[in-house]
Amino acid sequence: MANLKEIRNRIASVKSTMQITSAMKMVSAAKLKKAQDAITAMRPYANKLTELLQSLSASLDGDAGSKFADARAVNKVLVVAITSNRGLCGAFNSNIIKQTNALINETYAGKQVDVIAIGKKGNDILGKNGNVVANHSQVFDDLTFENVAAIAETLMNHFTEGDYDKIELVYNKFKNAATQIVMTEQFLPIVPVEGDNTGAADYIFEPSKPEIVEQLIPKSLKTQLYKAVRDSFASEHGARMTAMHKATDNASELKDQLTLTYNKARQAAITNEILEIVGGAEALNN
C-alpha cells in the first residue's frame, strides 16, 4: 500500500484536475448557449433558401445552373473535414477523422482524394498522410458568414475550373449537448431534385427565373457551408461540456476512492503505533 504522503499528493492532484474540468465545463456551457442559439436561428433560413432554390430549379431546363450541377465522372474528390482547433471534447474530432479516412480509403479508394481542413485538429492528424491541401483553421477566430463565404467561393472555383469532380463536407451536426451526428454531405455538384414541383407557378419573377437561380445557387452554397461550420461549432462546445462533465464526475469518484484508501492507511498506521506502544509497555513490565 502506498504511504500516506503519496496518497495525499494524489488526492491534491485529483482535486486540482477536478477544479480545472469543472471550470472548463462551465465555460463550454456558456459558449454552447450562444452557439446553439445561432444554429437554431439559422436552420429555418437555410432550409427555406434550399426549398426555394429547389422549387425554382425544378421548373427550369436542365441547362440552368449547369456549372454547379455538372455531374462528371468522379476521379478527383475534395473532402472538407470540419473539426475543432482545440481538444478535450471526447470523440468529436476522432469521429470526423475516422469518417474522412473511410472516404479516402474505402468510398473513393483508387481515386485522387484531397482534403481541406477547417480546424487545427483535423489538419494536424490528416496532414500526416499528405492529403491536406489547405487549412482554414483561422475561421474559428472570427466565425462570420463573410469569412466562411470566402472558403465556399474557393470550393466553387475548384469545381467549376475542373480541379475536382466532387466535393464532400464531413462535419458534426448538432442535435443536443450530448449528441452529435457525423454527416457526410455532398456540396458539389448540386444534387438534382427529383419529381415535379409546381409550387413556383403562382409567382411572378423579376428578373427571369434562370437569373434568380444563378444568383441563388452561390448564395445557397455559401449558406450550406456556413450552416455546416456553425453546426460543428455548436457540436464542439456540446461535446466538450459533456466530456468535462464526465471527467469531473470521474475525478470526484477517484477522489472518494483515494480518500477511503488514505483513511484505511492512516488507521492501519495508528493501529501499528498503538501495538508498538503496547508491546513496548509489556516489555518494560516484564
Side-chain angles (χ1 to χ4, degrees), residues 70-77 159 162-167 188-189:
D70 183 17
R72 305 186 285 261
V74 179
N75 295 312
K76 296 177 290 184
V77 181
F159 181 78
D163 297 334
Y164 298 99
D165 304 313
K166 191 174 185 180
I167 300 177
L188 285 169

Side-chain angles (χ1 to χ4, degrees), residues 187-240:
F187 186 70
L188 285 169
I190 295 174
V191 179
V193 181
E194 297 182 358
D196 59 341
N197 191 334
T198 59
D202 297 332
Y203 294 95
I204 298 174
F205 298 97
E206 181 65 35
S208 63
K209 280 191 283 187
E211 291 180 82
I212 293 175
V213 169
E214 284 295 329
Q215 295 178 14
L216 274 181
I217 287 178
K219 187 174 184 64
S220 177
L221 290 171
K222 293 174 184 177
T223 303
Q224 180 184 355
L225 181 60
Y226 184 57
K227 182 174 73 70
V229 175
R230 270 290 177 190
D231 253 319
S232 179
F233 190 63
S235 298
E236 174 193 348
H237 292 302
R240 182 172 291 110

Side-chain angles (χ1 to χ4, degrees), residues 11-84:
I11 291 175
S13 177
V14 170
K15 283 183 178 179
S16 177
T17 301
M18 188 167 61
Q19 289 175 345
I20 294 172
T21 56
S22 180
M24 292 182 67
K25 172 190 169 184
M26 298 300 293
V27 170
S28 293
K31 291 183 177 180
L32 171 63
K33 181 63 170 65
K34 184 177 179 181
Q36 182 177 354
D37 290 343
I39 187 60
T40 302
M42 182 185 175
R43 275 177 181 164
Y45 169 77
N47 293 338
K48 192 64 180 178
L49 180 60
T50 302
E51 178 185 334
L52 178 60
L53 180 62
Q54 291 177 343
S55 176
L56 291 171
S57 299
S59 61
L60 293 175
D61 295 333
D63 293 336
S66 59
K67 66 178 181 179
F68 295 117
D70 183 17
R72 305 186 285 261
V74 179
N75 295 312
K76 296 177 290 184
V77 181
L78 180 63
V79 178
V80 182
I82 305 174
T83 57
S84 67

Side-chain angles (χ1 to χ4, degrees), residues 6-172:
E6 290 176 349
I7 298 175
R8 282 199 302 269
N9 289 339
R10 289 191 64 190
I11 291 175
S13 177
V14 170
K15 283 183 178 179
S16 177
T17 301
M18 188 167 61
Q19 289 175 345
I20 294 172
T21 56
S22 180
M24 292 182 67
K25 172 190 169 184
M26 298 300 293
V27 170
S28 293
K31 291 183 177 180
L32 171 63
K33 181 63 170 65
K34 184 177 179 181
Q36 182 177 354
D37 290 343
I39 187 60
T40 302
M42 182 185 175
R43 275 177 181 164
Y45 169 77
N47 293 338
K48 192 64 180 178
L49 180 60
T50 302
E51 178 185 334
L52 178 60
L53 180 62
Q54 291 177 343
S55 176
L56 291 171
S57 299
S59 61
L60 293 175
D61 295 333
D63 293 336
S66 59
K67 66 178 181 179
F68 295 117
D70 183 17
R72 305 186 285 261
V74 179
N75 295 312
K76 296 177 290 184
V77 181
L78 180 63
V79 178
V80 182
I82 305 174
T83 57
S84 67
N85 285 345
R86 299 177 180 85
L88 298 177
C89 46
F92 174 83
N93 291 313
S94 60
N95 286 340
I96 297 300
I97 292 166
K98 181 180 179 181
Q99 179 62 20
T100 302
N101 284 329
L103 290 175
I104 296 172
N105 300 320
E106 298 174 16
T107 307
Y108 300 113
K111 303 181 186 298
Q112 176 188 332
V113 183
D114 293 333
V115 176
I116 286 182
I118 300 180
K120 291 180 181 177
K121 292 299 179 181
N123 178 64
D124 292 344
I125 298 175
L126 294 170
K128 295 178 181 178
N129 299 326
N131 297 99
V132 177
V133 295
N135 176 27
H136 297 284
S137 303
Q138 73 283 353
V139 74
F140 289 113
D141 297 334
D142 185 19
L143 186 52
T144 62
F145 178 80
E146 289 75 17
N147 290 337
V148 177
I151 302 174
E153 288 179 359
T154 301
L155 299 178
M156 288 186 278
N157 289 336
H158 279 312
F159 181 78
T160 56
E161 292 173 5
D163 297 334
Y164 298 99
D165 304 313
K166 191 174 185 180
I167 300 177
E168 299 263 27
L169 305 180
V170 181
Y171 66 97
N172 282 292

